[in-house]
Amino acid sequence: MTDDARHSHVPVLLEPVLDALAVRPDGVYVDATLGRGGHAAAVLERLGPAGRLILLDRDPAAVAAGRARFGQDARVAIVHSPFSRLQQVLSGLDVAQVHGILADLGVSSPQLDEAARGFSFRQDGPLDMRMDPTQGETAADWLAQAEVGEVARVLRDYGEERFALRIARAIVAARGQHPLTRTGELAALVAKAVPTREAGKDPATRTFQAIRIHINRELDELQQFLAQAEAVLAPGGRLAVISFHSLEDRLVKRFMRHGAQAAQVHPDLPIAAAALPAPAWHAVGKAVHASAAEVARNPRARSAVLRVAERGTGGRGR
């Protein structure tokens, strides 16, 4: 594969992300979800010789691609790690504070495109779905032993699937005949179990999303990451998060909104407003969505939502 082919992946909302991060040439920045490095490359172009870029990914394939692309640049550090260990990674690099953090959530285009990773219902492959295939149970492992109620809960809570119980029963019945080990099997089973269709959406979409989120503990990881981002961002530093479904976006929105609230006291208490802790964050603009032109170029940008917040001088005692 040529360098052009490896680097042809188009990062979502690139210009809004760069505007949001307001990269300073001598700053320290983190791309917490390296992927194939599209956002990272653009940030690096804006850094000067004294700048520093720290790249994380839990997927060994993304880390290997990042090292091949950026490994010769002394300004760049690449670490195989989930972003829920952000503080541990920075401590290991002797970095106390950073000026900007980006997280591009969810599954990456290369992960979806490679059938062997098991993320896509559009092509048949092993039912894996692990973002880090070196550890943890696969989707097939989990589906082989989870009870009907647990499967239904995952599909309902993480996929917002209204036919969750129906699909869960079909999965458990099918595995009684033979183990579910292929994405094609699962997609066909879901299509048969779901009685109605959403316009423009494959019936397996919500089920695959839900199982993937569960297998990778994505919402738990996100909550841990957001708390650590607050701890490591310097005052005035920016946090930019791209979400692709409502569960992620709701967590990010709630976190930023909560951090932007000023401390409240009873009006009768003799405490001056100046003595109260300042808000931890303030929002930078409104949520940003991909333009029609970007969606035309890259259909996967259709559901992307970018939220940005700037670190204040306040905090929550961390």
Side-chain angles (χ1 to χ4, degrees), residues 27 52 91 112-113 126 131 138-139 193 208 214 223 231 234 243-244 266 269 273-275 278-279 288 307:
R52 193 168 184 189
S91 177
L112 283 171
D113 292 340
M131 290 184 176
T138 66
F208 271 65
H214 172 73
Q223 287 180 313
S243 305
F244 288 86
H266 193 279
L269 290 176
V288 178
R307 294 188 186 275

Side-chain angles (χ1 to χ4, degrees), residues 27-195:
V28 181
Y29 293 86
V30 175
D31 184 341
T33 50
L34 169 59
R36 286 304 180 266
H39 291 110
V43 171
L44 193 58
E45 286 180 359
R46 297 193 175 198
L47 288 179
R52 193 168 184 189
L53 181 59
I54 299 162
L55 306 175
L56 281 66
D57 207 294
R58 66 194 298 190
D59 187 339
V63 171
R67 287 176 177 156
R69 186 173 186 179
F70 305 113
Q72 302 305 309
D73 195 317
R75 298 171 298 171
V76 179
I78 304 172
V79 183
H80 177 210
S81 173
F83 60 21
S84 61
R85 297 177 187 162
L86 176 62
Q87 282 181 287
Q88 179 181 329
V89 168
L90 294 181
S91 177
L93 296 171
D94 199 27
V95 174
Q97 288 190 321
V98 301
H99 301 102
I101 302 173
L102 168 66
D104 183 0
L105 305 178
V107 65
S108 70
S109 295
Q111 287 169 334
L112 283 171
D113 292 340
E114 188 178 339
R117 300 300 299 272
F119 288 105
S120 177
F121 47 79
R122 299 191 187 282
Q123 47 189 339
D124 187 49
L127 200 50
D128 193 317
M129 296 196 193
R130 292 173 297 171
M131 290 184 176
D132 183 350
T134 67
Q135 57 183 303
E137 67 177 353
T138 66
D141 293 336
W142 179 68
L143 289 173
Q145 49 79 32
E147 296 181 356
V148 169
E150 183 184 2
V151 176
R153 177 190 62 77
V154 166
L155 301 189
R156 183 178 58 251
D157 291 354
Y158 297 153
E160 300 176 298
E161 172 58 72
R162 59 185 175 132
F163 300 112
L165 184 57
R166 208 174 167 129
I167 295 169
R169 286 173 173 162
I171 287 171
V172 171
R175 79 184 187 203
Q177 305 300 315
H178 63 86
L180 287 170
T181 61
R182 308 289 297 181
T183 57
E185 291 177 294
L186 179 59
L189 184 154
V190 174
K192 187 175 180 180
V194 171

